[in-house]
PDB file of all heavy atoms in Angstrom:
ATOM      1  N   VAL Q  14      11.703  16.612   9.418  1.00  0.00           N
ATOM      2  CA  VAL Q  14      10.885  17.644   8.767  1.00  0.00           C
ATOM      3  C   VAL Q  14       9.725  18.034   9.683  1.00  0.00           C
ATOM      4  O   VAL Q  14       8.966  17.183  10.135  1.00  0.00           O
ATOM      5  CB  VAL Q  14      10.335  17.127   7.407  1.00  0.00           C
ATOM      6  CG1 VAL Q  14       9.424  18.156   6.773  1.00  0.00           C
ATOM      7  CG2 VAL Q  14      11.483  16.783   6.477  1.00  0.00           C
ATOM      8  N   LEU Q  15       9.601  19.314   9.943  1.00  0.00           N
ATOM      9  CA  LEU Q  15       8.531  19.833  10.789  1.00  0.00           C
ATOM     10  C   LEU Q  15       7.174  19.522  10.161  1.00  0.00           C
ATOM     11  O   LEU Q  15       6.989  19.679   8.968  1.00  0.00           O
ATOM     12  CB  LEU Q  15       8.692  21.354  10.947  1.00  0.00           C
ATOM     13  CG  LEU Q  15       7.592  22.037  11.758  1.00  0.00           C
ATOM     14  CD1 LEU Q  15       7.930  21.979  13.236  1.00  0.00           C
ATOM     15  CD2 LEU Q  15       7.405  23.474  11.310  1.00  0.00           C
ATOM     16  N   PRO Q  17       3.561  20.815  10.339  1.00  0.00           N
ATOM     17  CA  PRO Q  17       2.688  21.867  10.884  1.00  0.00           C
ATOM     18  C   PRO Q  17       1.291  21.343  11.266  1.00  0.00           C
ATOM     19  O   PRO Q  17       0.739  21.741  12.283  1.00  0.00           O
ATOM     20  CB  PRO Q  17       2.575  22.886   9.748  1.00  0.00           C
ATOM     21  CG  PRO Q  17       3.711  22.583   8.819  1.00  0.00           C
ATOM     22  CD  PRO Q  17       3.987  21.127   8.959  1.00  0.00           C
ATOM     23  N   GLN Q  18       0.744  20.406  10.477  1.00  0.00           N
ATOM     24  CA  GLN Q  18      -0.582  19.862  10.802  1.00  0.00           C
ATOM     25  C   GLN Q  18      -0.531  19.093  12.112  1.00  0.00           C
ATOM     26  O   GLN Q  18      -1.402  19.244  12.958  1.00  0.00           O
ATOM     27  CB  GLN Q  18      -1.036  18.890   9.705  1.00  0.00           C
ATOM     28  CG  GLN Q  18      -1.399  19.529   8.396  1.00  0.00           C
ATOM     29  CD  GLN Q  18      -1.988  18.489   7.444  1.00  0.00           C
ATOM     30  OE1 GLN Q  18      -3.185  18.264   7.412  1.00  0.00           O
ATOM     31  NE2 GLN Q  18      -1.136  17.846   6.678  1.00  0.00           N
ATOM     32  N   ALA Q  21      -0.338  21.403  15.067  1.00  0.00           N
ATOM     33  CA  ALA Q  21      -1.624  22.037  15.367  1.00  0.00           C
ATOM     34  C   ALA Q  21      -2.542  21.067  16.116  1.00  0.00           C
ATOM     35  O   ALA Q  21      -3.229  21.451  17.064  1.00  0.00           O
ATOM     36  CB  ALA Q  21      -2.288  22.514  14.077  1.00  0.00           C
ATOM     37  N   LYS Q  41      -0.133   9.913   5.363  1.00  0.00           N
ATOM     38  CA  LYS Q  41      -1.174   9.479   4.425  1.00  0.00           C
ATOM     39  C   LYS Q  41      -1.220   7.961   4.416  1.00  0.00           C
ATOM     40  O   LYS Q  41      -0.203   7.295   4.542  1.00  0.00           O
ATOM     41  CB  LYS Q  41      -0.804   9.919   3.005  1.00  0.00           C
ATOM     42  CG  LYS Q  41      -1.017  11.359   2.733  1.00  0.00           C
ATOM     43  CD  LYS Q  41      -0.788  11.632   1.244  1.00  0.00           C
ATOM     44  CE  LYS Q  41      -0.481  13.091   1.040  1.00  0.00           C
ATOM     45  NZ  LYS Q  41       0.931  13.366   0.883  1.00  0.00           N
ATOM     46  N   LYS Q  65       8.659   6.887  -7.349  1.00  0.00           N
ATOM     47  CA  LYS Q  65       8.389   7.742  -8.507  1.00  0.00           C
ATOM     48  C   LYS Q  65       7.291   8.762  -8.276  1.00  0.00           C
ATOM     49  O   LYS Q  65       7.312   9.843  -8.852  1.00  0.00           O
ATOM     50  CB  LYS Q  65       7.975   6.878  -9.709  1.00  0.00           C
ATOM     51  CG  LYS Q  65       9.158   6.319 -10.473  1.00  0.00           C
ATOM     52  CD  LYS Q  65       8.707   5.746 -11.798  1.00  0.00           C
ATOM     53  CE  LYS Q  65       9.846   5.048 -12.503  1.00  0.00           C
ATOM     54  NZ  LYS Q  65       9.351   4.175 -13.573  1.00  0.00           N
ATOM     55  N   LEU Q  66       6.275   8.403  -7.486  1.00  0.00           N
ATOM     56  CA  LEU Q  66       5.126   9.314  -7.373  1.00  0.00           C
ATOM     57  C   LEU Q  66       4.516   9.405  -5.977  1.00  0.00           C
ATOM     58  O   LEU Q  66       4.272  10.500  -5.477  1.00  0.00           O
ATOM     59  CB  LEU Q  66       4.031   8.886  -8.371  1.00  0.00           C
ATOM     60  CG  LEU Q  66       2.713   9.684  -8.306  1.00  0.00           C
ATOM     61  CD1 LEU Q  66       2.916  11.126  -8.767  1.00  0.00           C
ATOM     62  CD2 LEU Q  66       1.628   9.022  -9.148  1.00  0.00           C
ATOM     63  N   LEU Q  67       4.290   8.245  -5.347  1.00  0.00           N
ATOM     64  CA  LEU Q  67       3.431   8.254  -4.159  1.00  0.00           C
ATOM     65  C   LEU Q  67       4.058   8.952  -2.955  1.00  0.00           C
ATOM     66  O   LEU Q  67       3.357   9.502  -2.123  1.00  0.00           O
ATOM     67  CB  LEU Q  67       3.011   6.816  -3.810  1.00  0.00           C
ATOM     68  CG  LEU Q  67       2.283   6.083  -4.945  1.00  0.00           C
ATOM     69  CD1 LEU Q  67       1.917   4.660  -4.533  1.00  0.00           C
ATOM     70  CD2 LEU Q  67       1.038   6.840  -5.389  1.00  0.00           C
ATOM     71  N   ALA Q  68       5.379   8.935  -2.860  1.00  0.00           N
ATOM     72  CA  ALA Q  68       6.052   9.661  -1.776  1.00  0.00           C
ATOM     73  C   ALA Q  68       7.051  10.629  -2.387  1.00  0.00           C
ATOM     74  O   ALA Q  68       7.583  10.379  -3.461  1.00  0.00           O
ATOM     75  CB  ALA Q  68       6.772   8.681  -0.862  1.00  0.00           C
ATOM     76  N   ASN Q  69       7.275  11.743  -1.707  1.00  0.00           N
ATOM     77  CA  ASN Q  69       8.345  12.655  -2.121  1.00  0.00           C
ATOM     78  C   ASN Q  69       9.507  12.385  -1.180  1.00  0.00           C
ATOM     79  O   ASN Q  69       9.509  12.834  -0.033  1.00  0.00           O
ATOM     80  CB  ASN Q  69       7.872  14.100  -2.011  1.00  0.00           C
ATOM     81  CG  ASN Q  69       8.967  15.082  -2.415  1.00  0.00           C
ATOM     82  OD1 ASN Q  69      10.139  14.725  -2.479  1.00  0.00           O
ATOM     83  ND2 ASN Q  69       8.586  16.311  -2.687  1.00  0.00           N
ATOM     84  N   VAL Q  71      12.272  13.496  -0.760  1.00  0.00           N
ATOM     85  CA  VAL Q  71      13.027  14.635  -0.207  1.00  0.00           C
ATOM     86  C   VAL Q  71      12.555  14.902   1.226  1.00  0.00           C
ATOM     87  O   VAL Q  71      13.349  15.239   2.097  1.00  0.00           O
ATOM     88  CB  VAL Q  71      12.832  15.905  -1.079  1.00  0.00           C
ATOM     89  CG1 VAL Q  71      13.502  17.119  -0.454  1.00  0.00           C
ATOM     90  CG2 VAL Q  71      13.368  15.676  -2.485  1.00  0.00           C
ATOM     91  N   ILE Q  72      11.249  14.757   1.459  1.00  0.00           N
ATOM     92  CA  ILE Q  72      10.708  15.079   2.786  1.00  0.00           C
ATOM     93  C   ILE Q  72       9.944  13.925   3.437  1.00  0.00           C
ATOM     94  O   ILE Q  72       9.596  14.003   4.604  1.00  0.00           O
ATOM     95  CB  ILE Q  72       9.776  16.331   2.740  1.00  0.00           C
ATOM     96  CG1 ILE Q  72       8.741  16.207   1.615  1.00  0.00           C
ATOM     97  CG2 ILE Q  72      10.562  17.612   2.597  1.00  0.00           C
ATOM     98  CD1 ILE Q  72       7.669  17.296   1.656  1.00  0.00           C
ATOM     99  N   GLU Q  73       9.660  12.861   2.660  1.00  0.00           N
ATOM    100  CA  GLU Q  73       8.799  11.805   3.200  1.00  0.00           C
ATOM    101  C   GLU Q  73       9.473  10.428   3.179  1.00  0.00           C
ATOM    102  O   GLU Q  73      10.357  10.169   2.371  1.00  0.00           O
ATOM    103  CB  GLU Q  73       7.497  11.710   2.376  1.00  0.00           C
ATOM    104  CG  GLU Q  73       6.603  12.933   2.493  1.00  0.00           C
ATOM    105  CD  GLU Q  73       5.425  12.901   1.519  1.00  0.00           C
ATOM    106  OE1 GLU Q  73       5.541  12.321   0.423  1.00  0.00           O
ATOM    107  OE2 GLU Q  73       4.382  13.482   1.866  1.00  0.00           O
TER     108      GLU Q  73
ATOM    109  N   LEU O  57      -2.779  14.178  -3.647  1.00  0.00           N
ATOM    110  CA  LEU O  57      -1.523  13.505  -3.313  1.00  0.00           C
ATOM    111  C   LEU O  57      -0.536  14.494  -2.710  1.00  0.00           C
ATOM    112  O   LEU O  57      -0.310  14.458  -1.515  1.00  0.00           O
ATOM    113  CB  LEU O  57      -0.916  12.772  -4.517  1.00  0.00           C
ATOM    114  CG  LEU O  57       0.230  11.830  -4.191  1.00  0.00           C
ATOM    115  CD1 LEU O  57      -0.236  10.677  -3.299  1.00  0.00           C
ATOM    116  CD2 LEU O  57       0.868  11.272  -5.449  1.00  0.00           C
ATOM    117  N   ARG O  58       0.076  15.358  -3.508  1.00  0.00           N
ATOM    118  CA  ARG O  58       0.908  16.464  -3.022  1.00  0.00           C
ATOM    119  C   ARG O  58       0.843  17.552  -4.092  1.00  0.00           C
ATOM    120  O   ARG O  58       0.665  17.242  -5.264  1.00  0.00           O
ATOM    121  CB  ARG O  58       2.392  16.068  -2.878  1.00  0.00           C
ATOM    122  CG  ARG O  58       2.718  15.039  -1.844  1.00  0.00           C
ATOM    123  CD  ARG O  58       4.221  14.766  -1.816  1.00  0.00           C
ATOM    124  NE  ARG O  58       4.765  14.473  -3.122  1.00  0.00           N
ATOM    125  CZ  ARG O  58       4.748  13.291  -3.714  1.00  0.00           C
ATOM    126  NH1 ARG O  58       4.212  12.260  -3.092  1.00  0.00           N
ATOM    127  NH2 ARG O  58       5.260  13.130  -4.900  1.00  0.00           N
ATOM    128  N   ALA O  61       2.629  17.185  -7.638  1.00  0.00           N
ATOM    129  CA  ALA O  61       3.191  15.841  -7.819  1.00  0.00           C
ATOM    130  C   ALA O  61       2.742  15.203  -9.132  1.00  0.00           C
ATOM    131  O   ALA O  61       3.559  14.661  -9.881  1.00  0.00           O
ATOM    132  CB  ALA O  61       2.804  14.945  -6.642  1.00  0.00           C
ATOM    133  N   ARG O  65       4.566  14.670 -13.386  1.00  0.00           N
ATOM    134  CA  ARG O  65       4.688  13.421 -14.147  1.00  0.00           C
ATOM    135  C   ARG O  65       3.857  13.450 -15.422  1.00  0.00           C
ATOM    136  O   ARG O  65       3.666  12.426 -16.062  1.00  0.00           O
ATOM    137  CB  ARG O  65       4.248  12.230 -13.287  1.00  0.00           C
ATOM    138  CG  ARG O  65       5.338  11.717 -12.340  1.00  0.00           C
ATOM    139  CD  ARG O  65       5.341  12.457 -11.044  1.00  0.00           C
ATOM    140  NE  ARG O  65       6.428  12.080 -10.148  1.00  0.00           N
ATOM    141  CZ  ARG O  65       6.751  12.805  -9.073  1.00  0.00           C
ATOM    142  NH1 ARG O  65       6.104  13.923  -8.800  1.00  0.00           N
ATOM    143  NH2 ARG O  65       7.742  12.431  -8.310  1.00  0.00           N
ATOM    144  N   GLU O  94       9.015  18.952  -7.624  1.00  0.00           N
ATOM    145  CA  GLU O  94       8.529  17.565  -7.757  1.00  0.00           C
ATOM    146  C   GLU O  94       9.154  16.868  -8.963  1.00  0.00           C
ATOM    147  O   GLU O  94       9.354  15.673  -8.965  1.00  0.00           O
ATOM    148  CB  GLU O  94       7.001  17.549  -7.869  1.00  0.00           C
ATOM    149  CG  GLU O  94       6.271  17.698  -6.529  1.00  0.00           C
ATOM    150  CD  GLU O  94       6.300  16.415  -5.700  1.00  0.00           C
ATOM    151  OE1 GLU O  94       6.615  15.355  -6.251  1.00  0.00           O
ATOM    152  OE2 GLU O  94       6.001  16.501  -4.492  1.00  0.00           O
ATOM    153  N   GLY O 100      14.925  20.535  -3.224  1.00  0.00           N
ATOM    154  CA  GLY O 100      14.027  20.839  -2.110  1.00  0.00           C
ATOM    155  C   GLY O 100      12.589  20.451  -2.366  1.00  0.00           C
ATOM    156  O   GLY O 100      12.275  19.749  -3.332  1.00  0.00           O
ATOM    157  N   ALA O 101      11.712  20.903  -1.469  1.00  0.00           N
ATOM    158  CA  ALA O 101      10.288  20.588  -1.562  1.00  0.00           C
ATOM    159  C   ALA O 101       9.512  21.681  -0.841  1.00  0.00           C
ATOM    160  O   ALA O 101      10.080  22.443  -0.059  1.00  0.00           O
ATOM    161  CB  ALA O 101      10.004  19.235  -0.913  1.00  0.00           C
ATOM    162  N   ARG O 103       6.305  22.562   1.675  1.00  0.00           N
ATOM    163  CA  ARG O 103       5.412  21.961   2.673  1.00  0.00           C
ATOM    164  C   ARG O 103       4.287  22.925   3.010  1.00  0.00           C
ATOM    165  O   ARG O 103       4.308  24.083   2.623  1.00  0.00           O
ATOM    166  CB  ARG O 103       6.195  21.704   3.973  1.00  0.00           C
ATOM    167  CG  ARG O 103       7.411  20.850   3.811  1.00  0.00           C
ATOM    168  CD  ARG O 103       8.268  20.906   5.070  1.00  0.00           C
ATOM    169  NE  ARG O 103       8.875  22.232   5.241  1.00  0.00           N
ATOM    170  CZ  ARG O 103       9.677  22.563   6.246  1.00  0.00           C
ATOM    171  NH1 ARG O 103       9.962  21.685   7.173  1.00  0.00           N
ATOM    172  NH2 ARG O 103      10.194  23.782   6.328  1.00  0.00           N
ATOM    173  N   HIS O 104       3.328  22.439   3.821  1.00  0.00           N
ATOM    174  CA  HIS O 104       2.273  23.309   4.346  1.00  0.00           C
ATOM    175  C   HIS O 104       2.912  24.502   5.057  1.00  0.00           C
ATOM    176  O   HIS O 104       3.913  24.343   5.751  1.00  0.00           O
ATOM    177  CB  HIS O 104       1.445  22.560   5.396  1.00  0.00           C
ATOM    178  CG  HIS O 104       0.391  21.691   4.801  1.00  0.00           C
ATOM    179  ND1 HIS O 104      -0.769  22.198   4.272  1.00  0.00           N
ATOM    180  CD2 HIS O 104       0.313  20.349   4.650  1.00  0.00           C
ATOM    181  CE1 HIS O 104      -1.514  21.201   3.823  1.00  0.00           C
ATOM    182  NE2 HIS O 104      -0.869  20.066   4.024  1.00  0.00           N
ATOM    183  N   ASN O 105       2.292  25.667   4.923  1.00  0.00           N
ATOM    184  CA  ASN O 105       2.755  26.827   5.661  1.00  0.00           C
ATOM    185  C   ASN O 105       2.791  26.485   7.150  1.00  0.00           C
ATOM    186  O   ASN O 105       1.877  25.828   7.660  1.00  0.00           O
ATOM    187  CB  ASN O 105       1.799  28.015   5.457  1.00  0.00           C
ATOM    188  CG  ASN O 105       1.855  28.556   4.043  1.00  0.00           C
ATOM    189  OD1 ASN O 105       2.684  28.130   3.237  1.00  0.00           O
ATOM    190  ND2 ASN O 105       0.990  29.502   3.749  1.00  0.00           N
ATOM    191  N   GLN O 106       3.830  26.957   7.806  1.00  0.00           N
ATOM    192  CA  GLN O 106       4.020  26.615   9.211  1.00  0.00           C
ATOM    193  C   GLN O 106       2.817  27.024  10.057  1.00  0.00           C
ATOM    194  O   GLN O 106       2.429  26.324  10.967  1.00  0.00           O
ATOM    195  CB  GLN O 106       5.276  27.323   9.722  1.00  0.00           C
ATOM    196  CG  GLN O 106       5.877  26.665  10.921  1.00  0.00           C
ATOM    197  CD  GLN O 106       7.217  27.281  11.250  1.00  0.00           C
ATOM    198  OE1 GLN O 106       7.965  27.728  10.374  1.00  0.00           O
ATOM    199  NE2 GLN O 106       7.526  27.331  12.519  1.00  0.00           N
ATOM    200  N   LEU O 108      -0.199  27.126   9.070  1.00  0.00           N
ATOM    201  CA  LEU O 108      -1.382  26.464   8.514  1.00  0.00           C
ATOM    202  C   LEU O 108      -2.388  27.444   7.922  1.00  0.00           C
ATOM    203  O   LEU O 108      -3.572  27.164   7.868  1.00  0.00           O
ATOM    204  CB  LEU O 108      -2.083  25.618   9.583  1.00  0.00           C
ATOM    205  CG  LEU O 108      -1.385  24.328   9.989  1.00  0.00           C
ATOM    206  CD1 LEU O 108      -2.171  23.647  11.096  1.00  0.00           C
ATOM    207  CD2 LEU O 108      -1.248  23.383   8.798  1.00  0.00           C
ATOM    208  N   TYR O 148      11.514  23.723   1.898  1.00  0.00           N
ATOM    209  CA  TYR O 148      12.406  22.882   2.702  1.00  0.00           C
ATOM    210  C   TYR O 148      13.545  22.369   1.840  1.00  0.00           C
ATOM    211  O   TYR O 148      13.337  21.977   0.684  1.00  0.00           O
ATOM    212  CB  TYR O 148      11.653  21.670   3.267  1.00  0.00           C
ATOM    213  CG  TYR O 148      12.591  20.661   3.898  1.00  0.00           C
ATOM    214  CD1 TYR O 148      13.032  20.818   5.203  1.00  0.00           C
ATOM    215  CD2 TYR O 148      13.083  19.584   3.156  1.00  0.00           C
ATOM    216  CE1 TYR O 148      13.923  19.923   5.773  1.00  0.00           C
ATOM    217  CE2 TYR O 148      13.983  18.680   3.716  1.00  0.00           C
ATOM    218  CZ  TYR O 148      14.395  18.865   5.027  1.00  0.00           C
ATOM    219  OH  TYR O 148      15.286  17.978   5.571  1.00  0.00           O
TER     220      TYR O 148
END
Side-chain angles (χ1 to χ4, degrees):
Chain Q
V14 177
L15 177 86
Q18 289 187 90
K41 284 187 201 100
K65 276 193 186 164
L66 176 68
L67 303 179
N69 179 343
V71 175
I72 49 171
E73 294 172 330
Chain O
L57 192 64
R58 294 181 309 277
R65 278 87 185 166
E94 280 284 345
R103 304 168 291 180
H104 278 285
N105 291 354
Q106 203 172 328
L108 287 177
Y148 170 83

